[in-house]
């Protein structure tokens, strides 16, 4: 296991989730009706020398009331504090939004050889939008990214949703974005990584992907303690800049109850040299779950699990960003061959 994996495990943090409960007041009132009636006049307050008055609550034993004297869940009459994860379901992605970081907890997608062959969507017709399904006070706003120094980084890539304009438009909501370093990452190595995922459809009939941000600790050089620190952007500052990003890949063999080849990767939100091997960023699924506070394979029988990078070569194909942009903007491209992924799907974002 690499040093990075050990750091990932040792510094695991960021538990995400929400617990919903219900307060039942009727039974509480019925219980309280059995209490002794209140005195008509208040007795004098006890002094240090006078005897203490007995508790009005029935006792099972000394200091143990059978009916709790308090009702903490009564708070719910004013509202449930949360946390609440906003679940978003669209034709091209399903995601969970974190109201604290203003980033998704995770974004899930599904790609197939057919979905990448169909090309009815054009990103030139899509625009970045705020997500109206998120309450205004919690949503990420377009102005928050303005002159922030970070790209609006798709978690589910637009190029994976070209099969319809509606599907592609859904990927441009800010609830599918995180602040990403541009040159050297979002426009380069991360884009090559997304190309790698699309190329998996040449070997597997069905590929599912979950992508999301991480906020991982690093050792403070001054006191040697592990600490989580990250930048915050926006007006006012409210969008967290992730320290890392993860992808977990489920490459399915297409059979009912068949094998699933798993690959989990964690990349720093920073410039990465294009010659860096992708497998350097591979981590155990369990380490990613521990770091993210999420569960990815709880229902997947271990007998069905295979290791992706033992079945295929986990490596990226490097292509310059400017050339990639030129590729998807070239008009009159030849029609794709049926059942074959066109070359442009490996380069578009």
């Amino acid at each position: 296991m690499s040093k990075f994996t050990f750091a990932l495990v040792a510094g695991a943090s960021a538990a995400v989730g929400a617990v919903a409960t219900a307060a039942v007041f009727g039974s509480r009132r019925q219980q309280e009706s059995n209490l002794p009636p209140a005195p008509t006049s208040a007795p004098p307050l006890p002094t240090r020398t006078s005897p203490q008055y007995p508790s009005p609550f029935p006792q099972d034993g000394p200091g143990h009331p059978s009916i709790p004297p308090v009702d903490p869940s009564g708070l719910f009459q004013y509202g449930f504090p949360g946390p609440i994860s906003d679940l978003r379901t669209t034709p091209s992605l399903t995601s969970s939004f974190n109201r604290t970081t203003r980033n998704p907890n995770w974004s899930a997608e599904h790609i197939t050889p057919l979905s990448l062959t169909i090309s009815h969507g054009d990103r030139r017709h899509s625009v970045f939008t705020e997500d109206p399904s998120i309450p205004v006070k919690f949503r990420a706003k377009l102005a928050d990214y303005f002159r922030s120094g970070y790209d609006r980084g798709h978690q589910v890539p637009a190029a994976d949703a070209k099969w319809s304009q509606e599907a592609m438009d859904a990927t441009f909501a800010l609830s599918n974005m995180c602040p990403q370093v541009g040159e050297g990452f979002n426009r380069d190595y991360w884009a090559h990584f997304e190309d790698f995922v699309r190329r998996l459809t040449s070997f597997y009939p069905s590929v599912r992907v979950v992508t999301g941000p991480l906020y991982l600790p690093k050792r403070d050089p001054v006191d040697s303690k592990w600490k989580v620190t990250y930048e915050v952007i926006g007006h006012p500052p409210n969008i967290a800049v992730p320290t890392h990003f993860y992808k977990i890949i489920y490459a399915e063999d297409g059979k009912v109850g068949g094998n699933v080849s798993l690959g989990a990767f964690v990349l720093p939100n920073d410039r990465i040299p294009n010659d860096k091997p992708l497998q350097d960023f591979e981590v155990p699924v369990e380490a990613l779950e521990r770091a993210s506070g999420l569960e990815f394979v709880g229902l997947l029988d271990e007998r069905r699990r295979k290791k992706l990078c033992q079945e295929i070569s986990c490596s990226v194909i490097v292509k310059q960003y400017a050339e990639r942009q030129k590729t998807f903007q070239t008009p009159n491209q030849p029609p794709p061959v049926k059942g074959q992924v066109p070359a442009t799907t490996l380069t578009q974002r």
Side-chain angles (χ1 to χ4, degrees):
M1 186 180 294
S2 66
K3 293 182 179 179
F4 176 79
T5 302
F6 278 118
L8 181 64
V9 174
S13 59
V16 180
V19 179
T21 59
V24 180
F25 299 99
S27 59
R28 169 75 178 164
R29 287 193 295 269
Q30 183 178 0
Q31 291 172 330
E32 291 179 346
S33 66
N34 296 324
L35 299 179
T40 56
S41 62
L45 294 177
T47 66
R48 297 179 61 182
T49 58
S50 65
Q52 299 292 320
Y53 292 101
S55 167
F57 295 96
Q59 302 285 316
D60 290 337
H64 299 285
S66 59
I67 299 177
V70 297
D71 180 19
S73 296
L75 170 70
F76 299 154
Q77 65 183 302
Y78 307 117
F80 179 68
I84 294 174
S85 295
D86 299 278
L87 189 66
R88 178 178 181 233
T89 301
T90 76
S92 53
L93 65 92
T94 299
S95 65
S96 167
F97 185 75
N98 187 310
R99 295 183 176 187
T100 302
T101 62
R102 270 70 168 178
N103 291 323
N105 295 310
W106 50 265
S107 295
E109 59 172 317
H110 181 212
I111 56 176
T112 66
L114 178 61
S115 72
L116 295 180
T117 301
I118 302 172
S119 187
H120 293 161
D122 188 335
R123 68 178 298 148
R124 290 172 295 185
H125 300 154
S126 298
V127 295
F128 290 97
T129 60
E130 298 176 9
D131 191 337
S133 69
I134 308 297
V136 174
K137 60 185 175 182
F138 299 125
R139 74 177 60 157
K141 300 179 177 61
L142 293 170
D144 291 331
Y145 281 89
F146 182 65
R147 293 183 177 176
S148 68
Y150 292 94
D151 285 2
R152 294 166 290 196
H154 286 71
Q155 301 303 281
V156 171
D160 292 0
K162 296 192 306 175
W163 48 272
S164 83
Q165 190 63 49
E166 178 188 4
M168 179 170 284
D169 290 346
T171 69
F172 278 82
L174 292 186
S175 58
N176 184 47
M177 305 292 159
C178 290
Q180 287 186 326
V181 171
E183 292 185 10
F185 187 67
N186 181 48
R187 307 173 199 172
D188 294 282
Y189 201 93
W190 184 255
H192 309 325
F193 185 22
E194 292 172 334
D195 292 344
F196 161 77
V197 175
R198 283 188 283 274
R199 284 188 285 112
L200 291 176
T201 58
S202 299
F203 306 95
Y204 300 94
S206 173
V207 178
R208 302 183 188 276
V209 189
V210 181
T211 305
L214 290 171
Y215 311 88
L216 300 183
K218 61 181 179 180
R219 193 183 294 274
D220 190 306
V222 178
D223 58 16
S224 297
K225 294 181 179 180
W226 289 92
K227 300 178 181 179
V228 177
T229 59
Y230 53 82
E231 186 180 349
V232 182
I233 64 171
H235 308 282
N238 62 102
I239 300 180
V241 178
T243 63
H244 295 73
F245 288 93
Y246 70 84
K247 277 188 186 292
I248 180 167
I249 300 167
Y250 309 74
E252 303 169 334
D253 66 7
K255 301 175 183 177
V256 177
N259 294 329
V260 180
S261 299
L262 296 172
F265 303 85
V266 173
L267 284 68
N269 187 14
D270 204 349
R271 289 173 175 264
I272 300 176
N274 282 330
D275 59 355
K276 183 76 169 173
L278 179 59
Q279 280 195 261
D280 286 359
F281 302 111
E282 186 181 14
V283 300
V285 175
E286 295 77 13
L288 176 56
E289 290 181 325
R290 192 174 295 112
S292 64
L294 306 172
E295 286 194 288
F296 299 105
V297 293
L299 299 179
L300 180 59
D301 192 317
E302 290 191 7
R303 292 171 296 182
R304 299 176 55 197
R305 303 181 193 180
K306 303 296 180 182
K307 293 185 177 180
L308 179 68
C309 293
Q310 290 183 359
E311 296 191 336
I312 55 98
S313 174
C314 289
S315 59
V316 298
I317 295 179
V318 176
K319 194 168 187 177
Q320 296 302 315
Y321 181 70
E323 183 179 350
R324 199 166 53 246
Q325 292 290 90
K326 183 178 179 180
T327 299
F328 80 73
Q329 291 178 357
T330 302
N332 302 323
Q333 295 179 358
V337 179
K338 184 177 181 180
Q340 177 181 344
V341 180
T344 53
T345 63
L346 304 182
T347 56
Q348 294 184 20
R349 294 200 66 254

